Amino acid sequence: MRGEEQSTSIRTRSHITLTKVNFLRTPMIRYAFFLYLCSSKESLKQKYMLTIKQITENTDEVIRGLEKKHFKDAKQVIAQVVEMNNKRRSAQNSLDKNLAEVNSLSKTIGSLMKEGKKEEAEKAKARVAEIKESNKSLQEEMDNATADLQTILYTIPNVPYAEVPEGFGAEDNVVEKMEGVIPELPADALPHWELAKKYDLIDFELGVKITGAGFPVYKGKGARLQRALINFFLDQAREAGYLEIMPPTVVNQASGYGTGQLPDKEGQMYHCNLDDLYLIPTAEVPVTNIYRDEILDEKDLPIKNCAYTECFRREAGSYGKDVRGLNRLHEFSKVEIVRIDTPQHSKESHKEMLAHVEGLLQKLELPFRILRLCGGDMSFTSAICFDFEVYSAAQQRWLEVSSVSNFDSYQANRLKCRYRTADKKTELCHTLNGSALALPRIVAALLENNQTPEGIKIPKALVPYCGFDMID
């Protein structure tokens, strides 16, 4: 989940504004989504690594992609990268030239000494000493240029795919698919935070007492519903071939940089200063970092992992009605799916992940829509991203519950996550992940959409996990 709330006015593929959805099964929308899933092989050839090679060989293409993401001063920043790289290469070339001269002189010195030409040998030795001294400043120059280059590269986001729409924010996202029926609730229908109080499911005030706002306490059937959803999501992921991982919920700085949360989202992460560790905002971080500095075997790809963790986000600057109840929390439960794949297969993996999340929402009987995010609303690290939103009937608004992203080789380049091909070449992997699913807004929609005079109905798929079919 990206953390941004989505507007209720979002473009369709034909750029028609939707203000209220009365029907959710539209053939043209399904067809638009189908076009993405069947995208041409030509798009597989795109390799947005944001390596130095990519930037220097495809400078204009990279700049256009960064401008689509509205990356500030893209031309100037890329010009800086090229300049720093030229400095680094110049220093490296001088060092290589000096090394070649030292090697040549060393052989010459030996020959001169054998021939008794001591004076000439001493001159050669003096030249070697002179070169070695100059190498110190050259090495320092190269090290500084390399460090500066690395620093600026960390601040440059991934380049979006060509099929990512232009746009500045949520209002420019494209509705790809809608499904389900929005329930018609009575005029006195309650929002989930009032339902939670009525049925003693969640105590928000107690969470404030214990910790602070955004840390709710789940009680009774509310706690059991949380556990039921977690187990249901994990079981569904395992049935789809994902290996369950139980990772740490704190990570070191290298892990944060590896997946791109650092330095981009440092202000949104909880930092344990004494130990220099970070509470994870998503299981994506520890699970993907399992493969940092690894060379995998092509025959083992795609790797499919899933993980349930608590997630922690500061959400600085959030306020107002859109953050009431479960709409935005500092701590929440989420099941994440992660894939490591080859460039040739990663789009197929993305299709499968989208279908998996869609299947979960269908089983939960929730009305949902799928959005293709525009360049201005995408995350720092993604090359393409689709959001899933469910309709919250009492609030009469869409709530984001999942983002499913393909990062191309961007994260892998930071992680140095590679694979060895059948012909023994080493290539960068592609990484993908998605929420499957985040619990808070799912719970909000389940409570609101299923409220009746007798109580709150539990979807059939969850009854075996809950042990009850009604909250009353």
Side-chain angles (χ1 to χ4, degrees):
M1 296 169 67
R2 295 168 296 110
E4 294 87 8
E5 288 296 339
Q6 297 298 328
S7 167
T8 56
S9 177
I10 298 182
R11 293 184 301 158
T12 63
R13 297 275 310 170
S14 57
H15 306 287
I16 298 171
T17 301
L18 297 175
T19 53
K20 184 175 181 181
V21 179
N22 293 318
F23 60 96
L24 294 176
R25 295 186 181 273
T26 308
M28 284 303 294
I29 293 175
R30 287 202 299 271
Y31 177 69
F33 190 59
F34 174 79
L35 288 179
Y36 165 71
L37 298 184
C38 299
S39 55
S40 68
K41 291 182 180 178
E42 187 63 30
S43 60
L44 292 175
K45 297 178 182 177
Q46 300 175 24
K47 293 184 178 180
Y48 296 120
M49 300 181 186
L50 260 66
T51 59
I52 289 298
K53 182 179 179 182
Q54 174 69 20
I55 291 171
T56 55
E57 292 183 1
N58 301 283
T59 305
D60 291 341
E61 184 181 343
V62 169
I63 289 171
R64 283 196 301 272
L66 294 176
E67 287 175 343
K68 183 186 276 191
K69 274 196 171 181
H70 302 282
F71 179 63
K72 189 178 179 181
D73 300 325
K75 287 182 181 179
Q76 293 90 321
V77 172
I78 294 303
Q80 277 185 283
V81 169
V82 172
E83 181 183 353
M84 289 175 186
N85 187 54
N86 288 340
K87 278 186 181 180
R88 182 192 63 80
R89 288 182 63 186
S90 176
Q92 181 67 66
N93 289 338
S94 296
L95 281 168
D96 291 344
K97 183 180 177 181
N98 285 354
L99 179 61
E101 186 177 353
V102 167
N103 288 340
S104 176
L105 285 170
S106 296
K107 292 176 183 177
T108 301
I109 290 167
S111 299
L112 290 172
M113 292 298 286
K114 285 180 182 179
E115 295 170 11
K117 299 178 180 179
K118 188 175 179 181
E119 186 175 341
E120 291 181 39
E122 290 300 323
K123 286 182 180 179
K125 286 181 180 179
R127 174 59 183 157
V128 168
E130 181 184 331
I131 292 171
K132 287 184 175 179
E133 188 62 32
S134 71
N135 279 355
K136 291 180 182 178
S137 60
L138 282 171
Q139 185 66 51
E140 184 179 357
E141 182 181 336
M142 191 180 78
D143 289 345
N144 289 338
T146 300
D148 290 343
L149 187 61
Q150 191 70 38
T151 298
I152 196 167
L153 283 173
Y154 273 134
T155 68
I156 300 173
N158 199 359
V159 174
Y161 285 156
E163 54 264 42
V164 170
E166 299 280 354
F168 289 89
E171 66 281 358
D172 296 315
N173 293 335
V174 177
V175 177
E176 296 283 355
K177 183 175 183 179
M178 294 182 175
E179 188 172 306
V181 178
I182 294 178
E184 294 184 7
L185 299 180
D188 60 350
L190 300 176
H192 69 271
W193 53 87
E194 292 186 24
L195 291 167
K197 186 173 184 179
K198 177 179 178 179
Y199 294 105
D200 199 23
L201 303 173
I202 307 167
D203 195 326
F204 294 101
E205 293 179 3
L206 184 56
V208 172
K209 173 185 175 181
I210 296 170
T211 308
F215 296 90
V217 176
Y218 300 88
K219 301 162 65 177
K221 286 187 175 181
R224 291 169 67 185
L225 178 58
Q226 287 281 116
R227 183 157 43 86
L229 283 164
I230 292 164
N231 288 335
F232 171 67
F233 294 152
L234 287 173
D235 282 354
Q236 292 292 304
R238 284 195 300 272
E239 289 176 17
Y242 290 86
L243 174 69
E244 185 177 351
I245 303 291
M246 186 174 284
T249 51
V250 292
V251 294
N252 56 31
Q253 193 176 82
S255 293
Y257 273 92
T259 45
Q261 276 70 25
L262 296 176
D264 180 56
K265 292 289 187 291
E266 185 164 12
Q268 296 297 334
M269 296 174 71
Y270 286 99
H271 186 209
C272 308
N273 293 313
L274 189 61
D275 299 303
D276 196 22
L277 297 173
Y278 294 83
L279 274 66
I280 62 168
T282 166
E284 164 199 345
V285 182
V287 174
T288 311
N289 270 279
I290 292 171
Y291 307 100
R292 174 160 45 93
D293 297 322
E294 297 288 337
I295 299 178
L296 307 168
D297 200 315
E298 185 175 15
K299 65 179 176 59
D300 296 327
L301 302 177
I303 289 172
K304 300 165 65 176
N305 293 153
C306 67
Y308 151 68
T309 63
E310 289 299 292
C311 302
F312 303 87
R313 301 182 184 182
R314 293 187 61 242
E315 302 287 12
S318 299
Y319 61 91
K321 66 180 180 64
D322 289 348
V323 302
R324 289 198 66 178
L326 297 171
N327 287 342
R328 192 179 296 277
L329 302 176
H330 294 305
E331 179 183 357
F332 60 94
S333 304
K334 180 160 69 81
V335 172
E336 189 82 358
I337 52 176
V338 173
R339 289 203 190 195
I340 312 295
D341 208 344
T342 64
Q344 295 76 22
H345 190 260
S346 73
K347 286 214 168 186
E348 183 65 27
S349 273
H350 200 198
K351 285 164 49 178
E352 293 171 6
M353 294 169 77
L354 291 166
H356 179 78
V357 175
E358 183 176 343
L360 295 177
L361 294 174
Q362 289 168 340
K363 290 182 174 77
L364 293 176
E365 304 170 42
L366 289 170
F368 67 90
R369 67 182 182 182
I370 305 173
L371 309 177
R372 184 198 298 254
L373 299 194
C374 69
D377 204 32
M378 288 171 63
S379 73
F380 184 85
T381 50
S382 60
I384 188 167
C385 178
F386 291 85
D387 271 8
F388 287 76
E389 297 180 342
V390 296
Y391 194 77
S392 175
Q395 298 181 75
Q396 298 184 352
R397 57 193 293 259
W398 293 96
L399 302 175
E400 179 200 336
V401 294
S402 174
S403 292
V404 184
S405 301
N406 187 338
F407 302 96
D408 204 275
S409 58
Y410 183 87
Q411 285 184 332
N413 187 42
R414 297 168 75 112
L415 293 158
K416 297 298 177 278
C417 173
R418 296 155 290 173
Y419 72 98
R420 187 171 285 111
T421 65
D423 55 0
K424 306 302 180 184
K425 291 182 180 178
T426 303
E427 304 283 353
L428 285 170
C429 295
H430 279 197
T431 61
L432 307 93
N433 67 53
S435 308
L437 289 157
L439 270 66
R441 297 169 191 169
I442 289 289
V443 171
L446 287 174
L447 296 181
E448 293 183 15
N449 295 7
N450 296 316
Q451 59 182 297
T452 72
E454 293 75 33
I456 300 169
K457 291 181 180 179
I458 299 298
K460 290 180 182 178
L462 287 181
V463 172
Y465 292 88
C466 289
F468 52 86
D469 59 6
M470 181 76 76
I471 295 174
D472 51 20

